[in-house]
């Protein structure tokens, strides 16, 4: 099924098997009605939820960048940037801060595109936007090129500190005598 192929493409991209990832994505595209190559055809179908569209798009973009297919990567990046702009406008129009999953995806996008300073600034916004404790940050393949940046290390240290606090509170609450 198309959903299976998309999931496999995403998994292979995250695992760093970019050529295999692209093969799965291309097989999925072949099975989508009106299969002209565009972001709408690959990621907006009814077989995938809105919450997963962003991650799938980033996985495909990442695979194309890693394999040097800049023509297709540039198409995805252009449409993804337009989607980010639309989301930013929406958040402004309703008078709310961007939600943390949006900010995290935006940081991933900037990192994949090699815009380290934008990625780090967006991660800082994500962090200050009451993001849930999120330890995946340390192993996220889309953020690979940020791992050695000191600003990235500070964000990771903050999350690890919060995790330690949560663990300590949990253990303290479980060791209290039952009344």
């Amino acid at each position: 099924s198309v959903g299976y192929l998309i999931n496999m493409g995403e998994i292979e991209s995250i695992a760093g098997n970019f050529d295999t990832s692209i093969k799965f994505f291309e097989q999925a595209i072949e099975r989508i009605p009106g299969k002209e190559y565009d972001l709408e055809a690959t990621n907006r179908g009814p077989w995938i939820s809105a919450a997963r569209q962003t991650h799938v798009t980033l996985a495909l973009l990442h695979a194309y960048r890693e394999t040097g297919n800049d023509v297709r990567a540039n198409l995805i990046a252009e449409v993804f940037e337009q989607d980010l702009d639309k989301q930013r406008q929406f958040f402004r129009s309703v008078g709310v801060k961007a939600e943390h999953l949006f900010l995290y995806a935006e940081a991933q996008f900037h990192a994949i595109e090699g815009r380290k300073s934008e990625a780090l600034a967006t991660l800082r916004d994500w962090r200050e936007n009451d993001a849930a404790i999120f330890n995946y940050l340390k192993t996220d393949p889309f953020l690979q090129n940020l791992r050695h940046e000191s600003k990235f290390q500070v964000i990771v240290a903050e999350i690890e500190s919060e995790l330690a606090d949560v663990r300590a509170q949990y253990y303290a609450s479980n060791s209290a005598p039952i009344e």
Side-chain angles (χ1 to χ4, degrees):
S1 76
V2 173
Y4 171 80
L5 294 170
I6 291 290
N7 287 337
M8 291 304 298
E10 183 178 8
I11 289 166
E12 293 295 337
S13 177
I14 291 167
N17 304 322
F18 303 114
D19 290 322
T20 304
S21 170
I22 289 169
K23 287 178 185 173
F24 276 116
F25 281 123
E26 288 178 350
Q27 287 177 26
I29 292 166
E30 287 296 318
R31 294 178 182 204
I32 297 172
K35 63 185 174 186
E36 299 80 21
Y37 182 81
D38 64 30
L39 200 60
E40 294 298 317
T42 59
N43 296 318
R44 301 293 193 260
W47 35 261
I48 193 156
S49 71
R52 289 183 40 86
Q53 290 172 7
T54 298
H55 201 269
V56 169
T57 303
L58 290 170
L60 183 57
L61 173 62
H62 189 233
Y64 281 140
R65 284 285 181 233
E66 291 295 320
T67 58
N69 190 337
D70 289 333
V71 171
R72 287 199 171 177
N74 290 341
L75 287 171
I76 292 171
E78 181 181 332
V79 174
F80 196 84
E81 188 78 56
Q82 290 170 4
D83 285 349
L84 288 174
D85 288 340
K86 287 177 190 173
Q87 284 293 321
R88 281 186 213 102
Q89 289 172 9
F90 169 75
F91 290 128
R92 278 193 296 269
S93 73
V94 296
V96 298
K97 288 183 183 180
E99 58 107 25
H100 70 276
L101 292 175
F102 169 82
L103 290 170
Y104 191 81
E106 184 176 15
Q108 289 175 307
F109 173 69
H110 291 312
I112 292 168
E113 290 298 287
R115 300 184 215 158
K116 290 182 180 181
S117 61
E118 289 176 67
L120 291 166
T122 305
L123 279 175
R124 175 51 54 201
D125 289 346
W126 165 77
R127 191 71 191 101
E128 292 172 1
N129 194 34
D130 299 324
I133 295 172
F134 196 66
N135 211 26
Y136 178 64
L137 178 75
K138 293 188 325 184
T139 58
D140 188 333
F142 301 151
L143 303 176
Q144 177 65 33
N145 65 348
L146 302 178
R147 283 200 178 69
H148 300 293
E149 301 288 328
S150 61
K151 290 180 181 178
F152 184 82
Q153 295 296 326
V154 167
I155 293 169
V156 169
E158 290 170 1
I159 290 171
E160 287 176 342
S161 174
E162 282 185 33
L163 283 170
D165 290 345
V166 168
R167 278 188 206 102
Q169 290 171 9
Y170 173 77
Y171 292 132
S173 70
N174 282 334
S175 65
I178 299 175
E179 295 179 21

